[in-house]
Amino acid sequence: MAQQIRGAQGEWPDFRIQVYTYSPAERLAIINHLIKAALRSTPRNEDEVHQRKGVYEEDIQLCLDTLCEGTATLKTLFQPHLLSGALLSFLSKKNTLSKAELVTCCKRLGLNTDGTAEELRSAIAEEQKTWAETGRRLNGVDGREVGQLGKVVVLKKEVERLFALPIPGFVDLPQTVEVLVTDRPVEKKLSCASDDVLFGAWSNANNGSGNGGGGGIIDWETGLKARNKCMRAVVDNVRKRIADAGLTDKVLLNEAKKLEKGMSKLCVNDRLGKLFLMLQFDVVLRLDGLWQDRLDGCPNAPVLRYVGAEKKNGAWYQVFDIVSGTLEPRVEDRAFYDWILVPDTDPSKQDVVPSEIYFDDLSLCSLVFPLNRYTKSRWDEQHRIVKEDVTIANISDIRMSPNSSTDGWVNIGRPHSQAVLQTFFTGKQLQKGTTYRISPRFVDFNFNRVLLNLVTMDFQPSRDVAFIELVTDPIGFAQSPSYCGQQEREEERRVMNKLRLLERCRVPHAKELILERSQQKAAERMMFKRLSVIWGPPGTGKTYTLALSTLRMIEVLGNRAPLICPSILVTAMTHAAIEAI
């Protein structure tokens, strides 16, 4: 794919590219494959380190830019701000930066490395101002084209949108070809194997049992080529039908989407660089899901009817009847304002563009709502339609409707569900009796800070940073000794002996503080090694062991802690597990 794209770039420098798959699962599988390839792009031998690695990574990056939505947005809207912040953090350590570190930073930025330390620092400072200005200039630019298709067109979805196919239930590519492509003579009729047959042929070929599938003996490569021809025939046929109806033939094509360079790999350290890309890929996939849903007009979004406002504990809340769909009450005590509320447009009006499409999630994803005078400028940079129609909302409560509201509005009929929202808006006021649809927005308070820390650490490779040790040599880091030594080991034994003595004296709760043999082994590992992973089936006492071991570690380090100031980091896969600890 990369070779074909480069060939087209050489012949047509400003060419546009459109990729087609048949089903949404295929589109997702392609993008996931490219992302995994980017994160696992490790040379297989020493020769590839010099011969292939750089080319391979460039190929993956080019394919990602071609297929992944959001990469150009991250490049133009986010990375200038990120790099500016990293340089500012780097320059803040003015009294501790060596000339070698300044030279390394200049090399990273492509700046001249000659001169005194002060001259190098000034050059970096000028570069930081340039990136900061670039970020401000591009922050209000929307990289998406409203009403345009994505980089990858899912034919099944788009064909079903354009035509009402007379086939009930699931429709696969062979059925679509049979229904639409009917203008070919019998001898040139296209043949397309089903997905099951193609997968069976590929599986048999890779297992050494020959080529074959449930529908007969076929060669899987030949079958895939025939399948691609069928997809092209479907595209051509749809365009012809639209043109014959007197409409444009520019369908199933994004005319505005040029091939742009996407995410940059700002980190030189290979492992830090992959972490940097992985975090951005995660954001791209999450944003892609939101954008695809918004392009469809958020068909599954719950619909609410505005009832009125009510005051509770000195704060105003907006009350809505839930007309359709379901909403879950919030779990966290903190208000994240992670929903957007817009007027529910008439689905019969095909020319109405959903207001959510104009909403820029990235610029607001890490801000705390309600906005203050320092952060409100980010809201002011949103599209005019967003400022007029979009309300940022937080779900405060889901309840059954009362008999009447505070303003005398009376419910007619049996009780029904209501949503109580906290809102932030600067545009049109909510209108009683008007219906609104509510959908999620992208919220991540740690994304900016984590990426900034990765870039900052990579800019200072000579520093003794524990996290860099962890990602570059995890096994060595795990086996390295912690702050606890022989003195702490003896103190641990003394504490255990005291607890056993208290248990024999029938002191309440003493038994609960004595760990079982497997738990004690895990506790010793945590105390005397820098990195430990505690694993076990449900109900085996992982949370209890972690909590008690942490307290025990603080106890045995009690006398030395003011001198060595150890940091104990406890993490888990889920927020609920952290809360339990």
Side-chain angles (χ1 to χ4, degrees), residues 325-337:
T326 58
L327 285 174
E328 296 292 334
R330 69 178 185 183
V331 178
E332 304 288 343
D333 292 332
R334 181 178 175 182
F336 290 112
Y337 286 83

Side-chain angles (χ1 to χ4, degrees), residues 508-524:
H509 307 300
K511 185 177 181 179
E512 299 174 6
L513 299 177
I514 299 177
L515 298 172
E516 297 178 1
R517 180 174 298 180
S518 62
Q519 294 173 333
Q520 180 63 30
K521 184 177 179 181
E524 291 178 357

Side-chain angles (χ1 to χ4, degrees), residues 41-60:
S41 57
T42 303
R44 290 172 292 185
N45 51 57
E46 289 298 324
D47 293 336
E48 284 194 352
V49 173
H50 304 290
Q51 298 178 7
R52 184 61 183 159
K53 181 183 177 183
V55 177
Y56 181 59
E57 289 183 347
E58 290 177 5
D59 290 349
I60 294 174

Side-chain angles (χ1 to χ4, degrees), residues 72-87 126-143 360 362-364 377-378 381-382 448:
T73 302
L74 284 170
K75 168 73 176 179
T76 56
L77 303 185
F78 182 74
Q79 289 192 357
H81 168 72
L82 176 68
L83 188 55
S84 169
L87 292 177
E126 287 299 319
E127 187 71 4
Q128 186 273 328
K129 292 179 182 178
T130 300
W131 280 103
E133 181 59 31
T134 302
R136 283 192 293 270
R137 187 170 63 252
L138 294 173
N139 194 47
V141 179
D142 193 345
D360 179 12
L362 270 179
S363 64
L364 301 175
S377 60
R378 303 289 284 275
E381 294 169 352
Q382 290 281 333
N448 292 12

